[in-house]
Structures are given as C-alpha cells and as structure tokens.
C-alpha cells in the first residue's frame, strides 16, 4: 500500500475519532438526573473582562445527588457566577447565601427525559454525519490517487478499509447513544 493511502486512512481515522470525542463531550452536557460538575461545563463567567470557565473562578462540589455547590475564589464573584448560570439556560435556579451558590438539581419529569433523549439522538446523528463526511473525503482522495495512476486494486482495497472504519465508528456511536439513553430514561 502506498504512503498516500496510509496517510488518507490515518487522517480519516483521526477525523472519525474526533467525532466520537465531540459526541462524548456533548453527552456530558446532557444531564441524566443526578448532579455532576460536568453539568456546568458550558458556563462561562465574566472575570475581569474575559470569559472564564466556571471551574477557574470557583470550587465546584457535589455534596449529594441533587445538589451542586459553588464556592467562589473571590467573594465579589458571587453575583457574576449566579448571573452566568442563569444566562446559560440550563434550567437551574441558583441560590446565593452570601458565602456560596447552591444549585438544587430538580428531578427529571418524563417529558424532560424524552426531550433529553431526543437531544442525545440529535448529537449522535451529528457525530454520524461527521464520520460519513470523513468517509466521503477519504473516498474522494482515493479516487484522485486512482486517476493519478495508483492501481485500481489498491484503491478498491483502501475504499473497503474506509468503509470498515466507517462501520466500526457508526457502531461505537450507536453504543454510546444506547448507554446515554438508558442513563437518561432510568428513574
């Protein structure tokens, strides 16, 4: 097999695994009932003029399955943190007791669980599209090599390898989705 085809296969696999990583990060933001610091991963606070992740301006802890507490490193950051959580539109209502911010994570209703399952399916579909786009790009590159004189057998073999990669990554995405849906729907 030629170096060009090896390069195409490696970059395709890298792109496909990037889709999986993105999906896993997206799934972290979809809450499944119990409190987790990852739920606040998308929240950024205005910290002296720059947007900083919540974890860099406060200590985030989870004392029990329904509560998240935030202890700001600076007391004057209480209100900006509270505001940032409200603006993030995560469905949380932060309470400020003057020392820390306490977030009660409400139990999920059946409708909310269905909505979150739909959101998870949508994220999984986006990941599948990313994998298919990587396959399309790889096949286009292989066809170019074939036109430039690479043997047809080598190109067909490479296309089969790309399809096998695609199938394995689509299967991984389906498995991740099944796990996330089970987690969301579990009461």
């Amino acid at each position: 097999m030629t170096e060009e085809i090896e390069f195409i296969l490696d970059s395709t696999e890298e792109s496909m695994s990037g889709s999986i990583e993105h999906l896993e990060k997206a799934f972290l933001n979809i809450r499944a009932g119990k409190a987790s610091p990852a739920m606040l991963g998308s929240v950024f606070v205005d910290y002296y003029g720059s947007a900083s992740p919540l974890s860099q301006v406060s200590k985030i802890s989870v004392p029990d399955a329904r509560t998240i507490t935030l202890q700001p490193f600076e007391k004057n950051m209480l209100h900006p943190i509270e505001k940032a959580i409200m603006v993030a539109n995560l469905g949380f209502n932060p309470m400020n007791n003057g020392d820390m911010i306490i977030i009660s994570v409400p139990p999920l209703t059946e409708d909310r669980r269905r909505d979150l399952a739909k959101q998870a399916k949508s994220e999984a579909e986006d990941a599948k599209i990313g994998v298919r786009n990587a396959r399309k790009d790889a096949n286009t590159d292989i066809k170019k090599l074939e036109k430039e004189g690479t043997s047809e057998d080598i190109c067909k073999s490479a296309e089969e390898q790309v399809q096998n990669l695609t199938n394995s990554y689509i299967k991984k995405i389906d498995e991740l989705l099944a796990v996330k849906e089970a987690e969301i729907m579990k009461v």
Side-chain angles (χ1 to χ4, degrees):
M1 193 162 315
T2 66
E3 279 183 34
E4 291 100 346
I5 288 184
E6 285 293 330
F7 177 76
I8 290 169
L9 291 174
D10 288 346
S11 62
T12 301
E13 187 162 9
E14 191 176 310
S15 176
M16 289 179 179
S17 67
S19 292
I20 296 278
E21 286 171 24
H22 180 78
L23 178 66
E24 288 170 340
K25 285 180 185 167
F27 278 177
L28 282 178
N29 288 333
I30 299 175
R31 72 185 183 102
K34 61 181 193 237
S36 155
M39 294 171 147
L40 301 172
S42 62
V43 179
F44 284 83
V45 181
D46 181 35
Y47 185 68
Y48 297 110
S50 68
S52 301
L54 197 53
S55 59
Q56 291 183 3
V57 295
S58 67
K59 177 180 171 243
I60 304 172
S61 57
V62 183
D64 62 59
R66 294 262 172 248
T67 311
I68 301 173
T69 60
L70 296 121
Q71 180 74 50
F73 299 136
E74 297 176 29
K75 253 225 190 352
N76 65 342
M77 290 304 296
L78 276 170
H79 291 295
I81 289 173
E82 195 174 12
K83 183 179 174 199
I85 293 168
M86 299 285 264
V87 169
N89 198 16
L90 298 171
F92 297 141
N93 191 12
M95 293 175 285
N96 178 348
N97 70 3
D99 256 349
M100 63 173 46
I101 294 172
I102 301 165
I103 299 172
S104 261
V105 179
L108 295 172
T109 63
E110 190 63 30
D111 286 344
R112 184 71 178 132
R113 286 180 196 280
R114 278 195 216 103
D115 289 345
L116 290 174
K118 280 182 193 170
Q119 186 180 346
K121 277 184 184 155
S122 169
E123 293 290 350
E125 196 51 46
D126 289 347
K128 286 180 182 180
I129 289 169
V131 167
R132 290 180 191 125
N133 284 339
R135 173 186 64 191
K136 187 181 94 179
D137 294 344
N139 285 339
T140 302
D141 292 344
I142 291 168
K143 293 260 190 268
K144 278 183 196 168
L145 288 177
E146 193 174 349
K147 285 180 183 169
E148 292 170 7
T150 305
S151 96
E152 193 176 319
D153 290 343
I154 291 175
C155 291
K156 287 286 179 230
S157 168
E159 285 176 1
E160 285 173 19
Q161 284 179 293
V162 168
Q163 186 58 48
N164 290 340
L165 270 178
T166 303
N167 293 345
S168 71
Y169 277 95
I170 295 286
K171 187 176 177 213
K172 277 184 195 174
I173 290 169
D174 287 337
E175 289 167 0
L176 287 171
L177 176 62
V179 167
K180 188 63 180 183
E181 281 183 326
E183 186 182 309
I184 290 170
M185 297 313 277
K186 188 174 83 181
V187 179

